[in-house]
Amino acid sequence: AVDRPSDTTRGLILNTHPLPIMKHFVVFLMVHAMAFRCLAGTRSIENPSFMSLNADGVTITRVEFEKNQTTLYFHIEYPEGHTFQFRPSTYLVDEAGIRHKIKGCADFNLGEWTKIGKEGFKDVSISFDALPEGTRVFDCIEGPDLTMTYQFYGIRENGQDWDVFPKREVADVP
């Protein structure tokens, strides 16, 4: 007969062996490193402050800053049957006055009228070329003519000052 350790002893022997402990520790480090990398690449603003023109019923609920794009999430609240659209010429303007082109959208089609359903609202998002890292304040303009188009100025964290643009740039028509 061979002496075999009891289940309790076997567990103690396995748990004290350095190889399984190191294996778990390495896996733990890898998972946390990947999670940190994912989180580090994304910064977001919930319910940002902004001023708007021609945007009654339209609010920006979230902004996500990622390495390859910046995404704005909109809540559009109109009576059932009313329509809205964002033109493909919509762009962001950063603090240096540089324009960032639209990349795509979700839950509607750019340049097409979208009808509001019986719920009385629609949640959509638009992605743009990435804003520079550290951007504090920016604008979202539905161009090109600024006549009866959505215009959102000074999009920023709540409580943050937005007076970083010279007044001539804010009023500048492309």
Side-chain angles (χ1 to χ4, degrees):
V2 176
D3 278 340
R4 293 191 143 168
S6 68
D7 287 339
T8 340
T9 312
R10 187 177 311 137
L12 290 173
I13 292 171
L14 290 177
N15 286 336
T16 57
H17 192 277
L19 188 57
I21 293 173
M22 288 302 291
K23 181 179 171 184
H24 291 291
F25 182 71
V26 169
V27 170
F28 172 82
L29 287 178
M30 288 174 53
V31 168
H32 280 81
M34 287 187 297
F36 180 76
R37 198 173 324 149
C38 290
L39 291 175
T42 302
R43 176 174 68 100
S44 64
I45 300 173
E46 297 290 334
N47 300 308
S49 295
F50 58 89
M51 294 176 21
S52 64
L53 294 172
N54 306 318
D56 290 339
V58 181
T59 56
I60 302 170
T61 59
R62 180 178 173 87
V63 178
E64 287 183 354
F65 301 91
E66 298 178 79
K67 182 180 177 181
N68 298 320
Q69 67 184 22
T70 299
T71 304
L72 276 63
Y73 294 84
F74 295 89
H75 179 78
I76 302 170
E77 195 164 327
Y78 290 148
E80 178 182 0
H82 280 65
T83 58
F84 73 92
Q85 76 165 330
F86 280 89
R87 298 177 187 184
S89 56
T90 303
Y91 57 91
L92 300 181
V93 181
D94 65 25
E95 295 164 334
I98 298 170
R99 294 182 184 187
H100 301 266
K101 294 179 181 181
I102 199 165
K103 291 178 84 171
C105 62
D107 300 317
F108 76 105
N109 295 318
L110 288 170
E112 295 180 13
W113 291 101
T114 302
K115 192 178 283 191
I116 299 294
K118 64 182 175 184
E119 309 84 20
F121 70 90
K122 182 125 177 109
D123 292 319
V124 301
S125 65
I126 304 176
S127 296
F128 300 86
D129 289 340
L131 288 169
E133 188 175 328
T135 298
R136 298 176 308 127
V137 180
F138 63 96
D139 299 336
C140 177
I141 310 294
E142 182 192 11
D145 61 11
L146 302 182
T147 305
M148 297 308 293
T149 60
Y150 297 131
Q151 300 168 49
F152 303 92
Y153 295 103
I155 302 167
R156 65 204 181 278
E157 293 264 6
N158 280 316
Q160 184 179 20
D161 183 22
W162 81 284
D163 193 20
V164 295
F165 296 105
K167 292 189 181 353
R168 63 179 172 75
E169 284 186 29
V170 173
D172 188 19
V173 177

